[in-house]
Amino acid sequence: KHLMDRTREDRIKKLVAKLPDNYHLVTNEITFVGMLKLLEFEPIISVDTETTGLDVYEDKIVGISLTLPIADKHYYIPIRHNLKGTGWSQLKPEYVLEKLRPYLEEEKHVKKVLHNAKFDIHMFMSHGINFKGLAWDTQIAMHLLNENEKFEGGSYALKNLATKYLKEPSDTFSELFGKTRFDDIPLDVALAYAAKDTDLTWRLYQFQLKHMLKLPQVLKVYEKIELPLAEVIISMEREGFIIDDEVAKQLAKDYRAEIKEIETKLYDHFGDINFGSPMQLSKVLFKKLKLDKHLPKG
């Protein structure tokens, strides 16, 4: 940690110095309107928010990132940065959010790809935008593609996944900025970090989709269950919900009995092992039963 603190400034400088030509900072109406015109031709985009904190009900959006794949451009729109004495300018939050509203609330013609979409959708809803059109959440998809990510010493954070799967070395927010709030970060640095978020999200989506198409059953589970469930959870969290205790107790009783019956059959077949242990399961499935010989190659 001490070494990272000492080298943090150098890493930030390199991040800005290596800024791609297609990363654009939107600080005036001309650039913003130009971006909106390009957005008209995009059937699917990548979206991300930068905020004052992690409380979706109290914190504010300080900037919005958009990746436009057809145009091959990545934008960061600051709206609440602390710019006093910096010489920078930014558009007003109300203006930006109202102009983006039709695209963010469009469900069919402008699909969206996000990482940990639940957080960003909550943030937009707290700002009066009824976000629709979620097409892919790269964090949820990675849970299906590799449920052992954390057990392998990894993380489902975007920058960590990009480093591992896209071979794109990337620092997380805390690694680069520590406890600094995003609205205090200079705009050139904010652009380099925030635009990279939607850039990496889009590329991770393409990587995941490629692998999901080879696993049609997993893709079906993702599209039919996991993704719709995310929107249900968001609705439940915002509206609140009441649990029927009596029904829940009866379900628990029924499920415990069903689980006990299944466990008994499994023990009869596999012997006395801990089914929660990947290592013990692996020994039975692959070393004893040789099931790996029946798996499709590749």
Side-chain angles (χ1 to χ4, degrees), residues 47 49 61 104 120-129 131:
V47 182
T49 61
I61 294 175
L104 297 175
D120 299 286
I121 292 175
H122 268 308
M123 290 303 302
F124 281 122
M125 293 179 76
S126 293
H127 287 68
I129 293 177
F131 189 98

Side-chain angles (χ1 to χ4, degrees), residues 172-290:
T172 63
F173 181 86
S174 60
E175 289 171 342
L176 278 178
F177 307 115
K179 296 182 178 181
T180 304
R181 287 191 2 166
F182 205 84
D183 48 338
D184 288 326
I185 295 171
L187 292 191
D188 55 344
V189 178
L191 167 64
Y193 181 87
K196 188 175 184 180
D197 270 357
T198 51
D199 184 4
L200 292 177
T201 298
W202 178 258
R203 289 160 59 187
L204 187 59
Y205 156 64
Q206 292 178 304
F207 170 86
Q208 292 175 340
L209 181 59
K210 177 182 176 181
H211 287 277
M212 283 280 200
L213 290 172
K214 298 177 182 178
L215 303 166
Q217 292 302 318
V218 176
L219 179 59
K220 183 179 180 180
V221 169
Y222 177 70
E223 292 180 332
K224 300 297 183 181
I225 300 176
E226 296 293 346
L227 205 57
L229 183 59
E231 296 183 349
V232 173
I233 291 172
I234 292 168
S235 178
M236 291 172 65
E237 289 178 347
R238 294 202 77 83
E239 299 295 333
F241 54 92
I242 299 174
I243 296 176
D244 189 322
D245 288 339
E246 293 305 315
V247 173
K249 289 176 182 177
Q250 185 59 47
L251 282 174
K253 183 179 179 180
D254 294 343
Y255 288 146
R256 276 196 292 268
E258 185 178 347
I259 289 171
K260 185 67 176 177
E261 182 181 348
I262 293 171
E263 284 181 340
T264 300
K265 292 179 180 178
L266 288 172
Y267 287 133
D268 289 343
H269 189 76
F270 292 110
D272 186 15
I273 68 168
N274 178 7
F275 291 103
S277 169
M279 184 173 292
Q280 290 186 34
L281 275 176
S282 178
K283 288 180 179 179
V284 172
L285 296 176
F286 302 123
K287 291 186 178 180
K288 183 178 179 181
L289 300 179
K290 308 293 184 182

Side-chain angles (χ1 to χ4, degrees), residues 10-44:
D10 288 337
R11 297 205 310 278
I12 292 174
K13 286 180 179 178
K14 289 179 180 178
L15 185 67
V16 175
K18 294 181 178 179
L19 188 72
D21 293 336
N22 60 348
Y23 280 27
H24 302 283
L25 186 64
V26 181
T27 58
N28 57 67
E29 191 171 346
I30 294 176
T31 308
F32 185 61
V33 171
M35 183 202 74
L36 292 180
K37 289 181 178 178
L38 292 175
L39 188 49
E40 292 283 347
F41 302 97
E42 300 284 344
I44 183 168

Side-chain angles (χ1 to χ4, degrees), residues 25 49-54 58-64 76-91 93 123 127 173 177-191 193-194:
L25 186 64
T49 61
E50 301 299 344
T51 64
T52 54
L54 300 178
E58 298 294 334
D59 284 303
K60 299 293 184 182
I61 294 175
V62 303
I64 301 167
Y76 179 61
I77 314 163
I79 57 175
R80 285 195 182 93
H81 278 258
N82 299 318
L83 301 180
K84 187 176 181 180
T86 66
W88 293 97
S89 63
Q90 62 187 338
L91 295 169
M123 290 303 302
H127 287 68
F173 181 86
F177 307 115
K179 296 182 178 181
T180 304
R181 287 191 2 166
F182 205 84
D183 48 338
D184 288 326
I185 295 171
L187 292 191
D188 55 344
V189 178
L191 167 64
Y193 181 87

